[in-house]
Amino acid sequence: MYERLFQRVLLPLRDRLRGGSTARWWREYERQQRWSPQALAELQWQKLRALLDHCQRRVPYYRETWAAAGVDVNEFTGVGDLRHLPTVDKAAIREHRDAFVAEGWQGELLYKQTGGSTGEPLDFGFTRESDQRRLAVMFRGYSWAGAPPGRRVAYLWGAPAANLTRRQRLREAAFHRFFNRRMFDINRMDPALLESLRRRLLRYRPRAIVGYVAPLQALADHALREGRALPQVDGVLAAAEQLYPAQRELIEEAFRSPVFNTYGCREFMLIASECEQGRMHLNSDHLVVEAVDGAGQPAPGGGDLAITDLHNFGFPFVRYRNGDQGLPGGAGCPCGRGLPVLERLDGRSLDVIRTPSGATIPGEYFFNVMRRVGGVRRFQVVQEALDRLEVRYVLGPEFTPAAQERIEAEIRRVLGGEAMEVIYRAMEELPTTASGKLRVTISRLGEGA
């Protein structure tokens, strides 16, 4: 009942009151997913051509760097010509942030902050239209998994930091209630809290569940070991962490429901989502996703993902390396959608931190802490022993003793009185993997440590 009311009345009404078009974009994306691969490729190129022309004329950073590289985007004839443009990363945006703002958009943008899978905080801008389109794309992808807009959904998600004001908490609660979803804090998972969560989910009776992989797995394992029921839902959407086959099987057994994988990041929201045939489809009518090598050239066997947002004209992302790796593929799926697939996704897994009592803390929790603290450039949490954590970070000059106290309080809060030593170490730089990727949470408990 509410689902239909939301889609037909409340969402369009919200658009009219706020001057938005989310409902219209959602209907547009719903139609486009069934277009032929050729029609979608042509649409993508039309959008990309308009974006590149805009960037060359009105975005100082791109205008200058492309001119220095001797590139004129008006000579491009297809998406493949992106290989002639340099890639950008978080470091470039942090250093030249004002130059990424399109002329005429100063003071008109919304802003967010992300830690991303590399743990490097980034403030970035976006337009209202691009924000609404991102929500519409999410509606489409989540609908494939039984969670269309307005349906009763439970989110096993990281709760906001504890220092939100009462007004902020009430506003956030009203926002989620409007969308007919409830957020369940999963920053800490011990047996007692898992059982409490299981009971609350049964009382809530969601039609679908969205959650980080680690807590979904922990809850499924708890229910199966204790022989206790979980709500049977239309679909379980796994997000934020790598989903492995054994995890999928466990979650599906416990919830008696199919599991759908998703892939996204804060800069773009939903990048790819899994259909009922088990294929991850890229939102090619909204983004361009490439696999590139270290020089920014196409990597046919897979490489760093470089993503272009086709609708954020105020703060454009063109060939942005988000820190993940994978292999985009071609179109063709029994589900009948013309959207291309993401053949492989690498480099997203975050190690889970464990406590002496058996509780687990997902790596995403530390993002929720660090991205709200000024002065933390990059961070890494390492667990060498069950009773010891080391928090490493690269700090900026704006980092204060109060910021340190805030980090310590948040981490102690989630540890819940556990007898664990937490060491804080400021460093000039953080170690990376052989491929150059920074793992933000590392557990060495399985390495004999």
Side-chain angles (χ1 to χ4, degrees), residues 14 16 74 153 179 186 197 233 263 284 350 357 389 436 446:
R14 179 177 184 265
R16 286 197 295 272
N74 292 313
V153 177
F179 282 92
I186 47 73
L197 173 61
V233 292
Y263 169 53
S284 64
L350 301 174
S357 70
L389 286 182

Side-chain angles (χ1 to χ4, degrees), residues 323-357:
D324 293 334
Q325 297 179 328
L327 176 62
C333 178
C335 75
R337 295 178 178 89
L339 298 165
V341 300
L342 181 61
E343 294 286 358
R344 196 177 73 243
L345 180 62
D346 307 314
R348 294 183 64 217
S349 58
L350 301 174
D351 287 344
V352 171
I353 300 301
R354 292 174 171 80
T355 72
S357 70

Side-chain angles (χ1 to χ4, degrees), residues 291-322:
V292 301
D293 61 19
Q297 295 303 297
D304 294 340
L305 294 182
I307 304 174
T308 299
D309 187 330
L310 297 171
H311 294 283
N312 189 1
F313 278 64
F315 195 106
F317 285 86
V318 178
R319 305 200 84 202
Y320 169 73
R321 295 176 185 258
N322 72 341

Side-chain angles (χ1 to χ4, degrees), residues 79-91:
V79 176
D81 285 333
L82 281 172
R83 68 184 185 277
H84 299 301
L85 298 177
T87 60
V88 299
D89 56 18
K90 288 183 174 66

